[in-house]
Amino acid sequence: MTVKSRLLELLEKNKGETVSGEAVAQELQCTRAAVWKAAKSLREEGYTIEAGPNKGYRLLKDNNRLSAEGIRSYLNNRDVFLKIYKEAESTNQAAKQAAVSKQAGHGSMILAERQTEGRGRRGRAFYSPEGAGLYLSIILEPGETLQESLLLTTAAAVAVHKAVQRLCNISLDIKWVNDLYLNNKKVCGILTEAITDFESGNIEFAVVGIGLNLYEVKGGYPPELQGIAGALYPNEEAASGVNRNHLAAEILNTLLEETRNLSLSPYYIRHNIIPGKHIQILDGTRTRRAYARAIHPDGRLLVEEEDGTETLLSYGEVSVCPES
C-alpha cells in the first residue's frame, strides 16, 4: 500500500480526531514530509482533511466519500478485492465482468457513487443519484444449485437489515423477497444474478446487487417513484452522521456470515411483513389476489389462492392489499 492509502486508512480509523504528524509518521514508518505530501494529494481528491503546524491531521466526520481504504479498515477480511467507480452503468454488470475474468472472487465488492443504468427486478431501472445511497455488488461463490439461489437474496436482506440496525439504529421491514421498507416506502432493493455450471447445475458465482437509499436528494424522486421510494433519512444533512464506508463493510461482513451455512434465517421470517396478509401478486402481466401463509424453508412464499389451492411462489411481485 502507498503512503497515501495507509494515511487514509489511519485517518478513517480515527475519523473526527486529530492525529499528530509525528505519530502518523511513526505509524506509517515514513517521513513527515511524505505524510504531508500524501495528505495534500488526498485533499486534492476531495477529502476534507485539516492539517497545520502543531495541529496534526484530522479527517472531518462529515467527509463521507467512499474509499477502499476506509472500507477495508472495517472488514473482517481486508484482503478481498474492492473497486469503487465514481460512475458506473451498473455495479452488477461490473461485478460479473470482474468475476468472469477471474479478477475478483468470493467476498469481492464493487461500488459506485452513481449508477447510470442501475437495475432492479423485472428489468426496471433503479434510481441511483450521486452520493445519496449505497450502490454495491458482492460476488459470492456459494456452490449451491440455482434453486437455492433464492436464499442468497434472503440472506442479503438480513445483512442489510442488521447493518442498518447496528449502525443507524433504524429498524426496517423486509418484504418478500428482496425489498426493505421504512414507513411504507421502499428504501432498499436487492437483485441477485447467478452464473451456473451447465453440467452440474451448481452456481459458479452469484452477484448480489444492493441499492440502499440513504437520503432523498433535493428536488425529490422522479414522478414515477414519488410515494413509492423512500430513504433512511429525509435529507443529506440528517444523513451526515452515517459513515458509508463502515456501512458498506458491515453489509459485506454480515452477508458473508449469513451465507457461510446457507439456510433461511429465522431473522428474515421475523422481520418479514408479508406472511399472514392478504396480498396482490403481479406475475408477468397477470395480477391476482391470495393469502400469504408462510415462507418455505427454501425461500419460496406459500400462498393460498382464492380457490383454496396452495401455491409456492419463487418469483413474482407482491404487495399487501390495503383492506387487510
Side-chain angles (χ1 to χ4, degrees), residues 120-283:
R121 292 184 72 201
R122 312 175 77 85
R124 291 174 179 163
F126 187 90
Y127 183 57
S128 314
E130 184 174 356
L134 275 180
Y135 319 120
L136 60 90
S137 295
I138 297 169
I139 298 170
L140 300 173
E141 297 175 2
E144 307 291 340
T145 64
L146 186 60
Q147 184 177 354
E148 294 167 307
S149 65
L150 191 62
L151 293 176
L152 294 176
T153 302
T154 66
V158 170
V160 174
H161 192 286
K162 287 184 175 181
V164 170
Q165 179 73 62
R166 289 167 184 161
L167 300 186
C168 307
N169 197 29
I170 295 174
S171 183
L172 302 176
D173 293 322
I174 300 175
K175 183 172 80 70
W176 185 91
V177 59
N178 67 330
D179 297 329
L180 289 98
Y181 277 66
L182 179 64
N183 299 325
N184 298 315
K185 291 184 178 180
K186 179 178 173 179
V187 299
C188 179
I190 299 167
L191 177 65
T192 302
E193 298 181 283
I195 303 299
T196 61
D197 180 272
F198 183 77
E199 292 185 357
S200 68
N202 286 347
I203 299 174
E204 288 190 49
F205 67 86
V207 172
V208 179
I210 296 169
L212 175 63
N213 300 331
L214 294 182
Y215 64 86
E216 188 171 340
V217 295
K218 291 181 179 179
Y221 291 106
E224 65 272 17
L225 296 179
Q226 289 181 10
I228 300 172
L232 299 185
Y233 299 95
N235 51 54
E236 185 174 4
E237 183 179 0
S240 61
V242 179
N243 184 327
R244 289 197 298 157
N245 291 314
H246 193 176
L247 187 55
E250 188 72 11
I251 290 172
L252 176 54
N253 286 337
T254 309
L255 180 57
L256 292 178
E257 181 62 33
E258 290 293 324
T259 55
R260 196 180 305 277
N261 296 299
L262 195 60
S263 62
L264 183 66
S265 169
Y267 189 100
Y268 179 85
I269 298 172
R270 187 163 65 250
H271 292 278
N272 208 290
I273 61 174
I274 294 300
K277 303 287 180 62
H278 291 278
I279 60 173
Q280 182 170 279
I281 304 167
L282 176 61
D283 184 0

